[in-house]
Coordinates of all heavy atoms in Angstrom, one line a residue:
M1 N 16.9 24.7 -14.8 CA 16.3 23.4 -14.3 C 15.9 22.5 -15.5 O 16.2 21.3 -15.4 CB 15.1 23.7 -13.4 CG 14.4 22.5 -12.8 SD 15.5 21.5 -11.8 CE 15.5 22.3 -10.3
K2 N 15.3 23.1 -16.5 CA 15.0 22.3 -17.6 C 16.2 21.6 -18.2 O 16.1 20.4 -18.6 CB 14.3 23.2 -18.7 CG 13.9 22.4 -19.9 CD 13.2 23.3 -20.9 CE 12.8 22.6 -22.2 NZ 12.2 23.5 -23.2
Q3 N 17.3 22.3 -18.3 CA 18.5 21.7 -18.9 C 19.0 20.6 -18.0 O 19.5 19.6 -18.6 CB 19.6 22.8 -19.1 CG 19.4 23.7 -20.3 CD 19.3 22.8 -21.6 OE1 18.2 22.9 -22.2 NE2 20.3 22.0 -21.9
L4 N 19.0 20.7 -16.7 CA 19.4 19.7 -15.8 C 18.5 18.4 -16.0 O 19.1 17.3 -16.1 CB 19.2 20.1 -14.3 CG 20.3 21.0 -13.8 CD1 19.9 21.4 -12.4 CD2 21.6 20.3 -13.8
V5 N 17.2 18.6 -16.2 CA 16.3 17.4 -16.4 C 16.6 16.8 -17.7 O 16.7 15.6 -17.8 CB 14.9 17.9 -16.2 CG1 13.9 16.8 -16.7 CG2 14.6 18.3 -14.8
L6 N 16.8 17.6 -18.8 CA 17.1 17.0 -20.1 C 18.4 16.3 -20.1 O 18.5 15.3 -20.7 CB 17.0 18.2 -21.1 CG 15.7 18.8 -21.4 CD1 15.8 20.0 -22.4 CD2 14.7 17.7 -22.0
S7 N 19.4 16.8 -19.4 CA 20.7 16.2 -19.3 C 20.6 14.9 -18.6 O 21.1 13.9 -19.0 CB 21.7 17.1 -18.6 OG 22.9 16.5 -18.5
A8 N 19.8 14.8 -17.5 CA 19.6 13.6 -16.7 C 18.9 12.6 -17.6 O 19.2 11.4 -17.6 CB 18.9 13.8 -15.4
R9 N 17.9 13.0 -18.4 CA 17.2 12.1 -19.3 C 18.2 11.5 -20.3 O 18.1 10.3 -20.6 CB 16.1 12.9 -20.0 CG 15.3 12.0 -20.9 CD 14.5 12.8 -21.9 NE 15.4 13.5 -22.8 CZ 15.0 14.2 -23.8 NH1 13.7 14.4 -24.0 NH2 15.9 14.8 -24.6
D10 N 19.0 12.3 -20.9 CA 20.0 11.9 -21.8 C 21.0 10.9 -21.2 O 21.3 9.9 -21.9 CB 20.8 13.0 -22.5 CG 19.9 13.9 -23.4 OD1 18.8 13.5 -23.8 OD2 20.3 15.0 -23.6
I11 N 21.4 11.1 -20.0 CA 22.3 10.2 -19.3 C 21.6 8.8 -19.2 O 22.2 7.8 -19.4 CB 22.7 10.7 -17.9 CG1 23.6 11.9 -18.1 CG2 23.3 9.7 -17.0 CD1 23.9 12.7 -16.8
Q12 N 20.3 8.8 -18.8 CA 19.6 7.6 -18.6 C 19.4 6.8 -19.9 O 19.6 5.6 -20.0 CB 18.3 7.8 -17.9 CG 18.4 8.2 -16.5 CD 17.1 8.5 -15.8 OE1 16.1 7.9 -16.0 NE2 17.1 9.6 -15.0
L13 N 19.0 7.6 -21.0 CA 18.9 6.9 -22.3 C 20.2 6.3 -22.7 O 20.2 5.2 -23.3 CB 18.3 7.9 -23.3 CG 16.9 8.4 -23.1 CD1 16.6 9.5 -24.1 CD2 16.0 7.2 -23.3
S14 N 21.3 7.0 -22.5 CA 22.6 6.5 -22.9 C 23.0 5.2 -22.1 O 23.4 4.2 -22.6 CB 23.6 7.6 -22.8 OG 24.9 7.1 -23.1
R15 N 22.8 5.3 -20.8 CA 23.1 4.2 -19.9 C 22.4 2.9 -20.2 O 23.0 1.9 -20.2 CB 22.8 4.6 -18.4 CG 23.2 3.5 -17.4 CD 22.7 3.8 -16.0 NE 23.3 5.1 -15.5 CZ 22.6 6.1 -15.1 NH1 21.3 6.0 -15.0 NH2 23.2 7.2 -14.7
Y16 N 21.1 3.1 -20.6 CA 20.3 1.9 -20.8 C 20.1 1.5 -22.2 O 19.3 0.7 -22.6 CB 18.9 2.1 -20.1 CG 19.0 2.5 -18.6 CD1 18.4 3.6 -18.1 CD2 19.8 1.7 -17.8 CE1 18.5 3.9 -16.8 CE2 19.9 2.0 -16.4 CZ 19.3 3.1 -15.9 OH 19.4 3.4 -14.6
R17 N 20.9 2.1 -23.1 CA 20.7 1.9 -24.6 C 20.8 0.5 -25.0 O 20.1 0.1 -26.0 CB 21.6 2.8 -25.4 CG 23.1 2.4 -25.3 CD 24.0 3.3 -26.1 NE 25.4 3.1 -25.8 CZ 26.1 3.5 -24.8 NH1 25.5 4.3 -23.9 NH2 27.3 3.2 -24.6
H18 N 21.5 -0.4 -24.3 CA 21.6 -1.8 -24.7 C 20.8 -2.7 -23.8 O 21.2 -3.9 -23.6 CB 23.1 -2.2 -24.7 CG 23.9 -1.4 -25.7 ND1 23.7 -1.5 -27.0 CD2 24.9 -0.6 -25.5 CE1 24.6 -0.7 -27.7 NE2 25.3 -0.1 -26.8
T19 N 19.8 -2.1 -23.1 CA 19.0 -2.9 -22.2 C 17.5 -2.8 -22.6 O 17.2 -2.0 -23.5 CB 19.2 -2.4 -20.7 OG1 18.5 -1.2 -20.6 CG2 20.7 -2.4 -20.3
R20 N 16.7 -3.4 -21.8 CA 15.3 -3.3 -22.1 C 14.7 -2.1 -21.3 O 13.5 -1.8 -21.4 CB 14.5 -4.5 -21.7 CG 14.6 -4.9 -20.2 CD 14.0 -6.3 -20.0 NE 14.2 -6.7 -18.6 CZ 13.3 -6.7 -17.7 NH1 12.1 -6.3 -17.9 NH2 13.6 -7.1 -16.4
F21 N 15.5 -1.3 -20.6 CA 15.1 -0.2 -19.8 C 15.4 1.1 -20.5 O 16.3 1.2 -21.4 CB 15.8 -0.2 -18.5 CG 15.6 -1.5 -17.7 CD1 16.7 -2.3 -17.6 CD2 14.4 -1.8 -17.1 CE1 16.6 -3.5 -16.9 CE2 14.3 -3.0 -16.4 CZ 15.3 -3.9 -16.3
S22 N 14.7 2.2 -20.2 CA 15.0 3.5 -20.7 C 15.2 4.5 -19.5 O 15.9 5.4 -19.7 CB 13.8 4.0 -21.5 OG 13.7 3.3 -22.7
W23 N 14.6 4.2 -18.4 CA 14.6 5.1 -17.3 C 14.9 4.4 -16.0 O 14.6 3.2 -15.8 CB 13.2 5.8 -17.1 CG 12.6 6.3 -18.4 CD1 11.6 5.8 -19.1 CD2 13.2 7.3 -19.3 NE1 11.4 6.4 -20.3 CE2 12.3 7.4 -20.4 CE3 14.2 8.2 -19.2 CZ2 12.6 8.3 -21.4 CZ3 14.4 9.1 -20.2 CH2 13.6 9.1 -21.3
N24 N 15.4 5.2 -15.0 CA 15.7 4.6 -13.7 C 14.5 4.0 -13.0 O 14.6 3.0 -12.4 CB 16.3 5.7 -12.7 CG 17.6 6.2 -13.2 OD1 18.4 5.6 -13.8 ND2 17.9 7.5 -12.9
S25 N 13.3 4.6 -13.2 CA 12.1 4.1 -12.6 C 11.7 2.7 -13.1 O 11.0 2.0 -12.4 CB 10.9 5.1 -12.9 OG 10.7 5.1 -14.3
E26 N 12.3 2.3 -14.2 CA 11.9 0.9 -14.7 C 12.8 -0.2 -14.1 O 12.5 -1.3 -14.3 CB 12.1 0.9 -16.2 CG 11.1 1.9 -16.9 CD 11.4 2.0 -18.4 OE1 12.6 1.9 -18.8 OE2 10.4 2.3 -19.1
L27 N 13.9 0.2 -13.5 CA 14.8 -0.8 -13.0 C 14.2 -1.6 -11.9 O 13.4 -1.2 -11.1 CB 16.1 -0.1 -12.4 CG 17.0 0.7 -13.4 CD1 18.1 1.4 -12.7 CD2 17.5 -0.3 -14.5
Q28 N 14.6 -2.9 -11.9 CA 14.2 -3.8 -10.9 C 15.2 -4.9 -10.7 O 16.1 -5.2 -11.6 CB 12.8 -4.4 -11.2 CG 12.8 -5.0 -12.6 CD 11.3 -5.4 -12.9 OE1 10.6 -5.9 -12.1 NE2 11.0 -5.1 -14.2
G29 N 15.2 -5.6 -9.6 CA 16.1 -6.7 -9.3 C 17.5 -6.5 -9.5 O 18.1 -5.5 -9.1
S30 N 18.2 -7.4 -10.2 CA 19.6 -7.3 -10.4 C 20.0 -6.1 -11.3 O 21.1 -5.6 -11.1 CB 20.1 -8.6 -11.1 OG 19.6 -8.8 -12.4
A31 N 19.1 -5.7 -12.2 CA 19.4 -4.5 -13.0 C 19.5 -3.3 -12.1 O 20.4 -2.4 -12.3 CB 18.4 -4.3 -14.1
L32 N 18.7 -3.2 -11.1 CA 18.8 -2.0 -10.2 C 20.1 -2.1 -9.5 O 20.8 -1.1 -9.3 CB 17.6 -2.1 -9.2 CG 17.5 -1.0 -8.2 CD1 17.5 0.4 -8.8 CD2 16.3 -1.2 -7.3
R33 N 20.5 -3.2 -9.0 CA 21.8 -3.3 -8.3 C 23.0 -3.1 -9.2 O 24.0 -2.5 -8.8 CB 21.9 -4.7 -7.6 CG 20.8 -5.2 -6.7 CD 20.6 -4.2 -5.5 NE 19.5 -4.7 -4.7 CZ 18.3 -4.2 -4.7 NH1 17.9 -3.2 -5.5 NH2 17.3 -4.6 -3.9
T34 N 22.8 -3.4 -10.5 CA 23.9 -3.2 -11.4 C 24.1 -1.7 -11.7 O 25.2 -1.2 -11.8 CB 23.7 -4.0 -12.7 OG1 23.6 -5.4 -12.4 CG2 24.7 -3.7 -13.8
F35 N 23.0 -1.0 -12.0 CA 23.1 0.3 -12.4 C 23.0 1.4 -11.3 O 23.3 2.6 -11.6 CB 22.0 0.6 -13.5 CG 22.2 -0.1 -14.8 CD1 21.4 -1.2 -15.1 CD2 23.2 0.2 -15.6 CE1 21.5 -1.9 -16.3 CE2 23.4 -0.5 -16.8 CZ 22.6 -1.5 -17.1
A36 N 22.7 1.0 -10.1 CA 22.6 1.9 -9.0 C 23.7 1.6 -8.0 O 23.4 1.1 -6.9 CB 21.2 1.9 -8.4
K37 N 24.9 1.9 -8.4 CA 26.1 1.7 -7.5 C 26.2 2.8 -6.5 O 26.1 3.9 -6.7 CB 27.4 1.7 -8.4 CG 27.4 0.6 -9.4 CD 27.6 -0.8 -8.7 CE 27.7 -1.8 -9.8 NZ 27.6 -3.2 -9.2
L38 N 26.3 2.3 -5.2 CA 26.4 3.2 -4.1 C 27.8 3.3 -3.5 O 28.5 2.2 -3.4 CB 25.5 2.6 -3.0 CG 24.0 2.6 -3.2 CD1 23.3 1.5 -2.4 CD2 23.4 3.9 -2.9
E39 N 28.2 4.5 -3.1 CA 29.4 4.6 -2.3 C 29.1 4.0 -1.0 O 28.0 3.8 -0.6 CB 29.9 6.0 -2.2 CG 29.1 6.9 -1.3 CD 29.7 8.3 -1.2 OE1 30.7 8.6 -1.8 OE2 29.1 9.1 -0.4
R40 N 30.1 3.6 -0.2 CA 30.0 2.9 1.0 C 29.1 3.6 2.0 O 28.2 3.1 2.6 CB 31.4 2.6 1.6 CG 31.3 1.8 2.9 CD 30.9 0.4 2.6 NE 30.8 -0.4 3.9 CZ 30.0 -1.3 4.1 NH1 29.1 -1.7 3.1 NH2 29.9 -1.9 5.2
E41 N 29.4 4.9 2.2 CA 28.6 5.8 3.1 C 27.1 5.8 2.7 O 26.2 5.8 3.6 CB 29.2 7.2 3.2 CG 30.6 7.2 3.8 CD 31.7 6.9 2.9 OE1 31.4 6.7 1.6 OE2 32.9 6.8 3.3
A42 N 26.9 5.9 1.4 CA 25.5 5.9 0.9 C 24.8 4.6 1.2 O 23.6 4.6 1.6 CB 25.5 6.2 -0.6
S43 N 25.5 3.5 1.0 CA 24.9 2.2 1.3 C 24.6 2.0 2.8 O 23.5 1.5 3.2 CB 25.9 1.1 0.9 OG 25.4 -0.2 1.2
D44 N 25.5 2.5 3.6 CA 25.3 2.4 5.1 C 24.1 3.3 5.5 O 23.3 2.8 6.3 CB 26.6 2.9 5.8 CG 27.7 2.0 5.7 OD1 27.6 0.8 5.3 OD2 28.9 2.4 6.0
L45 N 24.0 4.5 4.9 CA 22.8 5.3 5.2 C 21.5 4.6 4.8 O 20.5 4.6 5.6 CB 22.9 6.7 4.5 CG 21.7 7.6 4.7 CD1 21.4 7.9 6.2 CD2 21.9 8.9 3.9
L46 N 21.5 4.1 3.6 CA 20.3 3.4 3.2 C 19.9 2.2 4.0 O 18.8 2.0 4.4 CB 20.4 3.0 1.7 CG 19.2 2.6 0.9 CD1 18.1 3.6 1.1 CD2 19.5 2.4 -0.5
D47 N 20.9 1.4 4.4 CA 20.7 0.3 5.3 C 20.2 0.7 6.7 O 19.2 0.1 7.2 CB 21.9 -0.6 5.5 CG 22.3 -1.3 4.2 OD1 21.5 -1.4 3.3 OD2 23.5 -1.7 4.1
T48 N 20.8 1.8 7.2 CA 20.3 2.3 8.5 C 18.9 2.8 8.5 O 18.1 2.6 9.4 CB 21.3 3.4 9.0 OG1 22.6 2.9 9.1 CG2 20.9 4.0 10.3
T49 N 18.6 3.5 7.4 CA 17.3 4.1 7.2 C 16.2 3.0 7.1 O 15.2 3.0 7.7 CB 17.2 5.0 5.9 OG1 18.2 6.0 6.1 CG2 15.8 5.5 5.7
L50 N 16.6 1.9 6.3 CA 15.7 0.8 6.2 C 15.3 0.2 7.5 O 14.2 0.0 7.8 CB 16.3 -0.3 5.3 CG 15.6 -1.5 5.0 CD1 14.5 -1.3 4.0 CD2 16.5 -2.6 4.5
E51 N 16.3 0.0 8.3 CA 16.1 -0.6 9.6 C 15.4 0.4 10.6 O 14.4 0.0 11.3 CB 17.5 -1.0 10.2 CG 17.4 -1.8 11.5 CD 18.7 -2.3 12.0 OE1 19.5 -2.8 11.2 OE2 19.0 -2.1 13.2
A52 N 15.8 1.6 10.7 CA 15.3 2.6 11.6 C 13.8 2.9 11.3 O 13.0 3.1 12.3 CB 16.1 3.9 11.6
L53 N 13.5 3.0 10.1 CA 12.1 3.3 9.7 C 11.2 2.1 9.4 O 10.0 2.2 9.2 CB 12.1 4.2 8.5 CG 12.8 5.6 8.6 CD1 12.7 6.4 7.3 CD2 12.2 6.4 9.8
G54 N 11.8 0.9 9.5 CA 11.1 -0.3 9.2 C 10.5 -0.4 7.8 O 9.4 -0.9 7.6
L55 N 11.3 0.1 6.9 CA 10.9 0.1 5.5 C 11.0 -1.3 4.8 O 11.8 -2.1 5.2 CB 11.8 1.1 4.7 CG 11.7 2.5 5.1 CD1 12.7 3.4 4.3 CD2 10.3 3.1 5.0
S56 N 10.2 -1.5 3.9 CA 10.2 -2.8 3.1 C 11.3 -2.7 2.0 O 11.8 -1.6 1.7 CB 8.8 -3.0 2.4 OG 8.6 -2.0 1.4
M57 N 11.6 -3.8 1.4 CA 12.6 -3.8 0.3 C 12.0 -3.1 -0.9 O 12.8 -2.5 -1.6 CB 13.0 -5.2 -0.1 CG 13.9 -5.9 0.9 SD 15.4 -5.0 1.3 CE 16.2 -5.0 -0.2
R58 N 10.7 -3.0 -1.0 CA 10.1 -2.3 -2.1 C 10.4 -0.8 -1.9 O 10.7 -0.1 -2.8 CB 8.6 -2.5 -2.1 CG 7.9 -1.9 -3.3 CD 6.5 -2.4 -3.3 NE 5.7 -1.6 -4.3 CZ 4.4 -1.6 -4.4 NH1 3.7 -2.3 -3.5 NH2 3.8 -0.9 -5.3
A59 N 10.3 -0.3 -0.7 CA 10.6 1.1 -0.3 C 12.0 1.4 -0.5 O 12.4 2.4 -1.0 CB 10.1 1.4 1.1
Y60 N 12.9 0.4 -0.1 CA 14.3 0.5 -0.3 C 14.6 0.7 -1.8 O 15.4 1.6 -2.2 CB 15.0 -0.8 0.2 CG 16.5 -0.8 0.0 CD1 17.3 -0.6 1.1 CD2 17.1 -1.2 -1.2 CE1 18.7 -0.7 1.0 CE2 18.5 -1.3 -1.3 CZ 19.3 -1.0 -0.2 OH 20.6 -1.1 -0.3
D61 N 14.0 -0.1 -2.7 CA 14.2 0.0 -4.1 C 13.8 1.4 -4.6 O 14.4 2.0 -5.5 CB 13.6 -1.1 -4.8 CG 14.3 -2.4 -4.7 OD1 15.4 -2.5 -4.1 OD2 13.7 -3.4 -5.2
R62 N 12.7 1.9 -4.1 CA 12.2 3.2 -4.6 C 13.1 4.3 -4.2 O 13.4 5.2 -5.0 CB 10.8 3.5 -4.0 CG 9.7 2.8 -4.8 CD 8.3 3.2 -4.3 NE 8.0 2.2 -3.4 CZ 7.0 2.2 -2.5 NH1 6.3 3.3 -2.3 NH2 6.8 1.2 -1.7
I63 N 13.7 4.2 -3.0 CA 14.6 5.2 -2.6 C 15.9 5.1 -3.4 O 16.5 6.2 -3.8 CB 14.9 5.1 -1.1 CG1 13.7 5.5 -0.2 CG2 16.1 5.9 -0.7 CD1 13.8 5.1 1.3
L64 N 16.3 3.9 -3.7 CA 17.5 3.7 -4.5 C 17.3 4.3 -6.0 O 18.2 4.9 -6.5 CB 17.8 2.2 -4.6 CG 19.1 1.8 -5.3 CD1 20.3 2.5 -4.6 CD2 19.3 0.3 -5.1
K65 N 16.1 4.1 -6.5 CA 15.8 4.7 -7.9 C 15.8 6.2 -7.8 O 16.4 6.8 -8.8 CB 14.5 4.2 -8.4 CG 14.4 2.7 -8.7 CD 13.0 2.3 -9.1 CE 12.9 0.8 -9.1 NZ 11.5 0.4 -9.5
I66 N 15.3 6.8 -6.8 CA 15.3 8.2 -6.7 C 16.7 8.7 -6.5 O 17.1 9.7 -7.1 CB 14.3 8.7 -5.6 CG1 12.9 8.3 -5.9 CG2 14.5 10.2 -5.3 CD1 11.9 8.5 -4.8
S67 N 17.5 8.0 -5.7 CA 18.9 8.4 -5.5 C 19.6 8.3 -6.8 O 20.5 9.2 -7.1 CB 19.5 7.4 -4.5 OG 18.9 7.5 -3.2
R68 N 19.4 7.3 -7.6 CA 20.1 7.2 -8.9 C 19.7 8.4 -9.8 O 20.6 9.0 -10.5 CB 19.6 5.9 -9.6 CG 20.1 5.7 -11.0 CD 21.6 5.4 -11.1 NE 22.3 6.7 -11.3 CZ 23.6 6.9 -11.2 NH1 24.4 5.9 -10.8 NH2 24.1 8.1 -11.4
T69 N 18.5 8.9 -9.7 CA 18.0 10.0 -10.5 C 18.7 11.3 -10.0 O 19.1 12.1 -10.8 CB 16.5 10.1 -10.5 OG1 16.0 8.9 -11.1 CG2 16.0 11.4 -11.3
I70 N 18.7 11.5 -8.7 CA 19.4 12.6 -8.1 C 20.9 12.7 -8.5 O 21.4 13.7 -8.9 CB 19.2 12.7 -6.6 CG1 17.8 12.8 -6.2 CG2 20.1 13.7 -6.0 CD1 17.4 12.6 -4.8
A71 N 21.5 11.5 -8.5 CA 22.9 11.4 -8.9 C 23.1 11.8 -10.4 O 24.0 12.5 -10.8 CB 23.5 10.0 -8.7
D72 N 22.1 11.4 -11.2 CA 22.1 11.7 -12.6 C 22.0 13.2 -12.8 O 22.7 13.8 -13.7 CB 21.0 11.0 -13.4 CG 21.2 9.5 -13.6 OD1 22.4 9.1 -13.4 OD2 20.3 8.8 -13.9
L73 N 21.2 13.9 -12.0 CA 21.0 15.3 -12.1 C 22.3 16.0 -11.8 O 22.6 17.1 -12.3 CB 19.9 15.8 -11.2 CG 18.5 15.5 -11.6 CD1 17.5 15.7 -10.4 CD2 18.1 16.3 -12.8
E74 N 23.2 15.4 -11.0 CA 24.5 16.0 -10.7 C 25.6 15.4 -11.5 O 26.8 15.6 -11.2 CB 24.8 15.8 -9.2 CG 23.8 16.5 -8.3 CD 24.1 16.5 -6.8 OE1 25.2 15.9 -6.5 OE2 23.4 17.1 -6.1
H75 N 25.3 14.6 -12.5 CA 26.2 13.9 -13.4 C 27.2 13.1 -12.6 O 28.4 13.0 -13.0 CB 27.0 15.0 -14.2 CG 26.1 15.7 -15.2 ND1 26.0 15.5 -16.5 CD2 25.2 16.8 -14.9 CE1 25.1 16.3 -17.0 NE2 24.6 17.1 -16.1
S76 N 26.7 12.3 -11.7 CA 27.6 11.5 -10.9 C 27.3 10.0 -11.3 O 26.2 9.6 -11.3 CB 27.2 11.7 -9.4 OG 28.0 10.8 -8.6
D77 N 28.4 9.3 -11.6 CA 28.2 7.9 -11.9 C 27.9 7.0 -10.7 O 27.3 6.0 -10.9 CB 29.5 7.4 -12.5 CG 29.8 8.0 -13.9 OD1 28.8 8.3 -14.6 OD2 31.0 8.1 -14.3
I78 N 28.3 7.5 -9.6 CA 28.0 6.7 -8.3 C 27.1 7.5 -7.4 O 27.0 8.7 -7.4 CB 29.4 6.4 -7.6 CG1 29.1 5.4 -6.5 CG2 30.0 7.6 -7.1 CD1 30.4 4.8 -5.9
I79 N 26.2 6.7 -6.7 CA 25.3 7.3 -5.8 C 26.0 7.6 -4.5 O 26.6 6.7 -3.9 CB 24.1 6.4 -5.6 CG1 23.3 6.1 -6.9 CG2 23.1 7.0 -4.5 CD1 22.3 5.1 -6.8
R80 N 26.0 8.9 -4.1 CA 26.7 9.3 -2.9 C 25.7 9.5 -1.7 O 24.5 9.5 -1.9 CB 27.4 10.7 -3.2 CG 28.3 10.5 -4.4 CD 29.4 11.6 -4.5 NE 30.2 11.5 -5.6 CZ 31.1 10.6 -5.9 NH1 31.4 9.7 -5.0 NH2 31.8 10.5 -7.0
F81 N 26.3 9.7 -0.6 CA 25.6 9.9 0.7 C 24.5 11.0 0.5 O 23.4 10.8 0.9 CB 26.6 10.2 1.8 CG 25.9 10.4 3.1 CD1 25.8 9.4 4.0 CD2 25.5 11.7 3.5 CE1 25.2 9.6 5.3 CE2 24.9 11.9 4.7 CZ 24.8 10.8 5.6
T82 N 24.9 12.1 -0.1 CA 24.0 13.2 -0.2 C 22.8 12.9 -1.1 O 21.7 13.4 -0.8 CB 24.7 14.5 -0.7 OG1 25.3 14.2 -2.0 CG2 25.7 15.0 0.3
H83 N 23.0 12.0 -2.1 CA 21.9 11.6 -3.0 C 20.9 10.8 -2.2 O 19.7 11.0 -2.4 CB 22.5 10.9 -4.2 CG 23.5 11.6 -5.0 ND1 24.6 11.0 -5.5 CD2 23.6 12.9 -5.3 CE1 25.3 11.9 -6.1 NE2 24.8 13.1 -6.0
V84 N 21.4 9.9 -1.4 CA 20.5 9.0 -0.6 C 19.8 9.8 0.4 O 18.6 9.7 0.6 CB 21.3 7.8 0.0 CG1 20.4 7.1 1.0 CG2 21.8 6.9 -1.0
A85 N 20.5 10.7 1.1 CA 19.9 11.6 2.1 C 18.7 12.4 1.5 O 17.7 12.5 2.1 CB 21.0 12.5 2.7
E86 N 18.9 13.0 0.3 CA 17.9 13.7 -0.3 C 16.7 12.8 -0.6 O 15.5 13.2 -0.4 CB 18.4 14.4 -1.6 CG 17.4 15.3 -2.2 CD 18.0 16.1 -3.4 OE1 19.2 16.2 -3.5 OE2 17.2 16.6 -4.2
A87 N 17.0 11.7 -1.2 CA 15.9 10.7 -1.5 C 15.1 10.3 -0.3 O 13.9 10.2 -0.3 CB 16.4 9.5 -2.3
V88 N 15.8 10.1 0.8 CA 15.1 9.7 2.1 C 14.2 10.8 2.5 O 13.1 10.6 3.0 CB 16.1 9.3 3.2 CG1 15.5 9.2 4.5 CG2 16.8 8.0 2.8
Q89 N 14.7 12.1 2.4 CA 13.8 13.2 2.8 C 12.6 13.3 1.9 O 11.5 13.5 2.5 CB 14.6 14.5 2.6 CG 15.7 14.7 3.6 CD 16.4 16.0 3.4 OE1 16.5 16.5 2.3 NE2 17.0 16.5 4.5
Y90 N 12.7 13.0 0.7 CA 11.5 12.9 -0.2 C 10.5 11.8 0.3 O 9.3 12.0 0.3 CB 11.8 12.7 -1.6 CG 12.6 13.9 -2.3 CD1 13.6 13.7 -3.2 CD2 12.3 15.2 -1.9 CE1 14.3 14.7 -3.7 CE2 13.0 16.3 -2.5 CZ 14.0 16.0 -3.4 OH 14.7 17.0 -3.9
R91 N 11.1 10.7 0.7 CA 10.3 9.6 1.2 C 9.5 10.0 2.4 O 8.4 9.7 2.6 CB 11.2 8.4 1.4 CG 10.6 7.2 2.1 CD 9.6 6.5 1.3 NE 9.0 5.4 2.0 CZ 8.0 4.7 1.6 NH1 7.5 4.9 0.4 NH2 7.5 3.7 2.4
Q92 N 10.2 10.7 3.3 CA 9.6 11.2 4.6 C 8.5 12.2 4.3 O 7.5 12.1 5.0 CB 10.7 11.8 5.5 CG 11.6 10.7 6.1 CD 10.8 9.6 6.8 OE1 10.7 8.6 6.3 NE2 10.4 9.9 8.0
L93 N 8.7 13.0 3.3 CA 7.6 13.9 2.9 C 6.4 13.2 2.4 O 5.2 13.6 2.7 CB 8.1 14.9 1.8 CG 9.0 16.0 2.2 CD1 9.5 16.8 1.0 CD2 8.4 16.9 3.2
D94 N 6.6 12.1 1.7 CA 5.5 11.3 1.2 C 4.7 10.7 2.4 O 3.5 10.4 2.3 CB 6.0 10.1 0.3 CG 6.3 10.6 -1.1 OD1 5.9 11.7 -1.4 OD2 7.0 9.8 -1.8
L95 N 5.4 10.4 3.5 CA 4.7 9.8 4.6 C 4.3 10.8 5.7 O 3.8 10.4 6.7 CB 5.7 8.8 5.3 CG 6.2 7.7 4.4 CD1 7.2 6.8 5.1 CD2 5.0 6.8 3.9
S96 N 4.4 12.1 5.4 CA 4.0 13.1 6.4 C 2.5 13.0 6.7 O 1.7 12.6 5.9 CB 4.4 14.5 5.9 OG 3.6 14.9 4.9
P97 N 2.1 13.4 7.9 CA 0.7 13.3 8.3 C -0.2 14.1 7.4 O -1.3 13.7 7.1 CB 0.7 13.9 9.7 CG 2.1 13.7 10.2 CD 3.0 13.8 9.0
V98 N 0.3 15.2 6.8 CA -0.5 16.0 5.9 C -0.8 15.2 4.7 O -2.0 15.2 4.3 CB 0.3 17.3 5.5 CG1 -0.5 18.1 4.4 CG2 0.5 18.2 6.8
N99 N 0.1 14.6 4.1 CA -0.1 13.8 2.9 C -1.0 12.6 3.2 O -1.8 12.1 2.3 CB 1.2 13.3 2.2 CG 1.9 14.5 1.6 OD1 1.3 15.5 1.2 ND2 3.2 14.5 1.5
Q100 N -0.8 12.0 4.4 CA -1.6 10.8 4.7 C -3.1 11.2 4.9 O -4.0 10.4 4.6 CB -1.1 10.1 6.0 CG 0.2 9.4 5.7 CD 0.8 8.7 6.9 OE1 0.2 8.9 8.0 NE2 1.9 8.0 6.8
E101 N -3.4 12.4 5.4 CA -4.8 12.8 5.5 C -5.5 13.0 4.2 O -6.7 12.9 4.1 CB -4.8 14.1 6.3 CG -4.5 13.9 7.8 CD -4.4 15.2 8.6 OE1 -4.8 16.3 8.0 OE2 -3.9 15.2 9.7
E102 N -4.7 13.3 3.2 CA -5.3 13.6 1.9 C -5.7 12.3 1.1 O -6.5 12.4 0.2 CB -4.3 14.4 1.0 CG -4.0 15.8 1.5 CD -2.8 16.4 0.7 OE1 -2.3 15.8 -0.2 OE2 -2.5 17.6 1.0
V103 N -5.2 11.2 1.6 CA -5.4 9.9 0.9 C -6.8 9.4 1.1 O -7.5 9.7 2.0 CB -4.4 8.9 1.3 CG1 -4.7 7.5 0.7 CG2 -3.0 9.3 0.9

């Protein structure tokens, strides 16, 4: 696991070496759209999720950043359906009643 994380970190540092960013979490606006390329099925899933769950564009961007990181862990240049699906699951865990009671 440690090697996967270090490898994903290196991928991000390399990808953003000529930008003002270092990590996926720092991306915003047009930079996020530039560096977080989605395959068609992944884009459709993210759009459907946004609509079905009534998510804000801010939540959309957070899911997209997490998806980019999951793709990096798998050494994938493009964000795939499975990456978005996993990120959406994490988002749902954040919104679970158990976590909301702790707040």
